[in-house]
Amino acid sequence: MKQQINLFLKQEKVRVPFSALTSLLLLLAIALGLLVTTVLETRGVSALQQEVTLLSQQQLELSTETLILRKQKHPNAESPELRQTRDRLQQQQQVQRRYGEFLAQLPAAGTGIFSPLLTGLSEQALNGVRLERIQASENGTRIALQGHARDAALIPQYLQRLGQASAYENTLFDQFELTEAAAGVEFKLSGRRSGGRG
């Protein structure tokens, strides 16, 4: 039997620290990476600055256009058409104010004399007689009616019917004016109310 002797000893791998050259190469790679990153970021910042400048210019242009449009919409000098419209509206307001003051001076609802007068006229309407003007004066004691009748014979019938309305039952029509028209008769009646229930 042969005997074998193994003269080789098992050796452990010995870790060798980085050499100076490896460290230098690693540092150069990191520096190069940082340089590339810085260049890219600088270019990005430059592009962003250009975009900000462009947006600022656009905002300035928009502000200028807005100011021009506002001046066009609200001009400092008043146009003649605008002045005429304003004057017309002021006149309308004055008329409405005077009308409102007039209405405020009228008696309260239920105490007035005009509503019963008009109600009586509408309730006693007669076919063939058309009123064109109604006038009440002297606080409703003086009445004037003007209109058109198809036939002159309808006017006495109308006055008789009108006397049946409570607002006209004590009314005496003392002035008559009849005028022939193309299709019938034009009439004007006036009279005085004396103590009716309306």
Side-chain angles (χ1 to χ4, degrees), residues 79-192:
S79 67
E81 295 86 10
L82 184 61
R83 190 177 311 112
Q84 288 175 351
T85 303
R86 185 196 65 218
D87 293 343
R88 181 174 47 80
L89 290 174
Q90 286 176 344
Q91 288 174 352
Q92 287 178 352
Q93 284 180 337
Q94 289 174 354
V95 169
Q96 288 175 349
R97 194 176 306 116
R98 285 196 299 262
Y99 184 67
E101 291 169 358
F102 170 73
L103 289 178
Q105 294 173 358
L106 290 177
T111 61
I113 47 96
F114 297 107
S115 182
L117 293 176
L118 294 176
T119 302
L121 289 172
S122 66
E123 288 174 350
Q124 302 303 327
L126 182 63
N127 192 14
V129 177
R130 180 182 71 233
L131 289 177
E132 296 171 349
R133 184 173 181 200
I134 304 162
Q135 183 176 0
S137 57
E138 299 177 18
N139 202 20
T141 58
R142 190 86 183 140
I143 306 295
L145 303 176
Q146 182 177 343
H148 179 270
R150 188 178 58 224
D151 186 353
L154 292 174
I155 296 173
Q157 291 177 22
Y158 179 66
L159 290 176
Q160 186 178 10
R161 286 183 63 134
L162 199 57
Q164 295 172 3
S166 61
Y168 293 93
E169 67 183 356
N170 294 320
T171 303
L172 176 63
F173 287 98
D174 54 3
Q175 293 182 359
F176 295 90
E177 185 179 325
L178 300 176
T179 309
E180 280 192 48
V185 178
E186 300 289 333
F187 64 90
K188 292 182 184 177
L189 309 170
S190 61
R192 183 172 294 277

Side-chain angles (χ1 to χ4, degrees), residues 8-88:
F8 293 102
L9 294 174
K10 187 176 180 183
Q11 293 183 351
E12 292 184 20
K13 289 186 180 178
V14 179
R15 294 187 179 184
V16 179
F18 284 116
S19 66
L21 181 61
T22 306
S23 298
L24 181 63
L25 288 176
L26 185 60
L27 275 173
L28 284 175
I30 292 173
L32 184 62
L34 287 173
L35 181 65
V36 168
T37 305
T38 304
V39 168
L40 290 176
E41 285 181 0
T42 305
R43 285 185 182 172
V45 168
S46 176
L48 286 174
Q49 285 176 342
Q50 288 177 354
E51 191 173 342
V52 166
T53 305
L54 180 63
L55 288 173
S56 298
Q57 289 175 351
Q58 289 177 350
Q59 182 182 11
L60 182 63
E61 290 172 3
L62 286 173
S63 298
T64 306
E65 287 178 16
T66 303
L67 186 61
I68 291 170
L69 289 174
R70 282 184 180 165
K71 284 185 178 180
Q72 288 175 353
K73 186 176 179 184
H74 303 292
N76 294 336
E78 188 178 42
S79 67
E81 295 86 10
L82 184 61
R83 190 177 311 112
Q84 288 175 351
T85 303
R86 185 196 65 218
D87 293 343
R88 181 174 47 80

